[in-house]
Structures are given as C-alpha cells and as structure tokens.
C-alpha cells in the first residue's frame, strides 16, 4: 500500500511510472487511522522517497522512473 502511494505521487508530479524499485526499507508499519506523509527528492530517472508519520520514518528507498 505504501509503495502504491509513492507510485501515485510520482505519476501526479512527473507523469511517470516506477520502472524498478532499487531499494526499499520498511522501518515500521502504517497503522490503520494513522496519517502519513510522502516526501520525494530528485527527479527522473531516480527518485528517493521517505514515508513519515508523527512517530517517525515508516519507510524509505529509491525508485527508477520512466515514461
């Protein structure tokens, strides 16, 4: 679910899709009812992402994007 949200943000921001997940580290689960924020850095062809909640980082990683 969290990677789907990252993919959606990349589609919305860059009109691109994830071609490959380079690495992804899931640090903590996203509990039901808890809000999270996705932060993207970089741009094509490589984007870094971090998913955060009020309690800290939930996941982070890098994805390769393409048209």
């Amino acid at each position: 679910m969290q990677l789907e949200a990252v993919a959606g943000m990349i589609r919305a921001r860059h009109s691109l899709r994830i071609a490959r997940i380079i690495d992804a580290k899931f640090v903590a689960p996203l509990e039901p009812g808890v809000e999270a924020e996705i932060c993207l850095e970089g741009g094509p062809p490589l984007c870094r992402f971090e998913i955060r909640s009020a309690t800290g980082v939930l996941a982070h990683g890098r994805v390769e994007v393409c048209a």
Side-chain angles (χ1 to χ4, degrees):
M1 177 93 165
Q2 294 174 356
L3 286 179
E4 289 175 13
V6 171
M9 182 174 261
I10 289 170
R11 273 193 307 276
R13 186 176 288 178
H14 299 291
S15 297
L16 298 170
R17 65 179 178 83
I18 293 177
R20 179 171 68 113
I21 299 168
I22 296 170
D23 58 55
K25 172 92 175 173
F26 295 89
V27 182
L30 178 58
E31 300 294 336
V34 174
E35 291 188 26
E37 173 185 36
I38 300 171
C39 300
L40 288 177
E41 290 182 4
L46 181 69
C47 290
R48 296 178 190 275
F49 69 88
E50 190 171 88
I51 302 170
R52 301 180 199 142
S53 71
T55 59
V57 175
L58 303 175
H60 58 86
R62 299 175 299 156
V63 293
E64 183 180 329
V65 297
C66 67

